[in-house]
Amino acid sequence: MADDYQKLLSENEQLKAEVVQLKEDLQLLEQNFDSMSEGYQQSLLLYDTLEETYHELEKTNSELEIARCKAEESSRMKTNFIQQISHEIRTPLNILCGFTQIVTTPGMELDEATKAEVTKGISDNTERITNLVNKMLELADASSQTEIERSDDVLAVQIAAQAAEDSLITQTDSLVFDMEIADGADSVMLHTNLAQATRVLVLLLDNARKFTRPAEASMGAGAEAKNAKALLAVQIVGSDAANSANMLAFVVEDNGIGVPAAEAEHIFDEFVQLDEYYDGTGIGLTVARSIARRLGGDVCLDTNYVGGARFVFTLPLTL
C-alpha cells in the first residue's frame, strides 16, 4: 500500500508539473497569437497605406497626363497663333508695299479715282495692322486681375450704339443686323468705363460678323453664303427683389456656325480656334472676358441657344 501511495504521489507531482508546463505553453501561445494579431493589424494598416499611396500616384499620374496634354495643346495653339499673326501682318504689309511702289514710281500719273482707291487701301491696311497690334497689347493685359477704373456714367444704349458703329457691323452688306432694347433698358445708366465696355461689345460683334459668313479658306471652293443675321439686345436681368445681383445684359446673337456646348469654356482660352479655316488670332473672346470681369461683369456663351451662337455680356447695374 505504501508503495502504491508513493507511486500515486509521484504521478500527481508529475501531473502538476505537466499542468504548469501546459499553462506556460498556453501563455506563450497567447503571446504569439497577440503578436501575430498585432502583426496582422499592422499589415492591414500598411496595406491600406500602400493602397492609398497607389491611388494618389494614379491621381497624380492622371493629372500629369492632363497637364502634359494641355501643355502640348497650348504649344500647338501658340505655334498656330504665331503663324496666323505672321499671315495677318504680312497681308496688309504686302498691300501697303504695293501701294507705296505705285505712288513712288517716277513719272506715274494717277487719276482721281485711282488716287482715292490707293488712299483708302493705305488707310484700311494701316488700320488693320494697328488693330492687330492693339489686340496683342490687350492680350498681354488679359491675365491681369486688376480692376479697370470705372468713372463714366453712361446710358447702356449708348454703349450698344457706339459698339455697333465702331465694329462697322451696320455697314456690312452681307449681314442683316438688328438692335433690340428691352422695356426699361433704354433709360438704364451704368457706372463703368465707356471705352472698355464698348471694346467688349465690339469684339463680340466682330465675332458674330466673322462666323456668319463662309470661312476665308473655303471661299471660291463652292461655298455659299447663308442669309447672315446678327442681333444686339439690351436687357435687364436678375431684377426681381430676391436677386441682389442685378445686372444689365448685352446679348449678341447670330445665326452662324455656332459653338458646341462642350466648348463653352474652352473658347475663352488664349489662341483657341475651333474652326481653323477661319482667319483670326483666337484671342478676341479671351480679351473680351478679361475686360468684362475686370469691369465687375462677365461674358459667357448661352449653351441653350442652338440657332448659331449667343454671347451674353453682363455689367452690374447702378441702382
Side-chain angles (χ1 to χ4, degrees), residues 153-190:
D153 292 307
V154 58
L155 287 169
V157 291
Q158 182 182 342
I159 296 174
Q162 187 67 49
E165 180 181 346
D166 291 351
S167 68
L168 303 179
I169 197 169
T170 57
Q171 301 175 31
T172 305
D173 295 334
S174 60
L175 179 146
V176 176
F177 174 72
D178 289 317
M179 189 182 298
E180 292 181 358
I181 311 298
D183 291 343
D186 55 341
S187 58
V188 169
M189 293 287 293
L190 296 175

